Amino acid sequence: MKPVLLLYYSRDGQTKKIMQFIAQHMSCQLSTCVVALTANGESINIEKYSAVLIAGGVRHGAHPKALTRWIKEHSQQLDAKQTGLISVNLTARKVNRDQIDSNPYLKKWLLELNFRPDMVGVFAGALQYSKYALTDKLLVKLIMKMTNGPTDTSKDYEFTDWSQVTDFSNKFSDLILSSA
């Protein structure tokens, strides 16, 4: 079986951390290859892979433009493979906002894309005040105040539910293995 491509775009590192966790978890059953997409996009030979899992985090209210563009440009090739899509966002930290049908960012992204993945996941990300520029830090603090989130900018907060990530990883592995 060909390896599985785990493609992500990460600005502050939490999406990368999630994809590395999935790669490590899936490597027990499947060969995986983790690739970071750069801001200007890149040429990736999708034919080398049996399946593709894509992840992007929300920043300033949207998923990465480079990743969205890449997905649209490769939608026909993606349709011919087992695929998964993951949205990482802070809204998913809230009760009942970590589901496909209740997460506004994921719903909006799916409407924007030209392909329908076989599996979709949404995970809460991390609030990393220490990595933000002053203007971003103040903006995020204001948003957190309005949404009852943490506002102490001297700390970073991780909201990712790793058991949820493990569950998704198991199901995606099963999907790939059942189609092989």
Side-chain angles (χ1 to χ4, degrees), residues 14 17-18 90 93 124-128 156-162:
Q14 191 66 14
K17 186 176 177 180
I18 289 169
L90 288 174
R93 79 185 193 285
L127 182 56
Q128 299 170 334
D156 290 343
Y157 305 87
E158 183 176 81
F159 299 103
T160 305
D161 179 342
W162 294 104

Side-chain angles (χ1 to χ4, degrees), residues 97-115:
R97 292 297 185 150
D98 62 350
Q99 302 298 313
I100 297 163
D101 58 346
S102 66
N103 188 279
Y105 292 113
L106 178 58
K107 287 167 54 172
K108 180 181 170 189
W109 200 26
L110 285 169
L111 288 173
E112 186 179 353
L113 298 174
N114 293 338
F115 94 110

Side-chain angles (χ1 to χ4, degrees), residues 4 59 69 75 80 100 126 128 143 147 170 175 178 180:
V4 176
R59 181 89 177 263
R69 184 174 46 254
S75 62
I100 297 163
Q128 299 170 334
I143 292 167
T147 62
N170 287 336
L175 173 74
S178 69

Side-chain angles (χ1 to χ4, degrees), residues 151-171:
T151 57
D152 181 350
T153 61
S154 68
K155 298 179 185 177
D156 290 343
Y157 305 87
E158 183 176 81
F159 299 103
T160 305
D161 179 342
W162 294 104
S163 64
Q164 185 185 18
V165 177
T166 299
D167 222 26
F168 181 91
S169 180
N170 287 336
K171 289 176 184 171

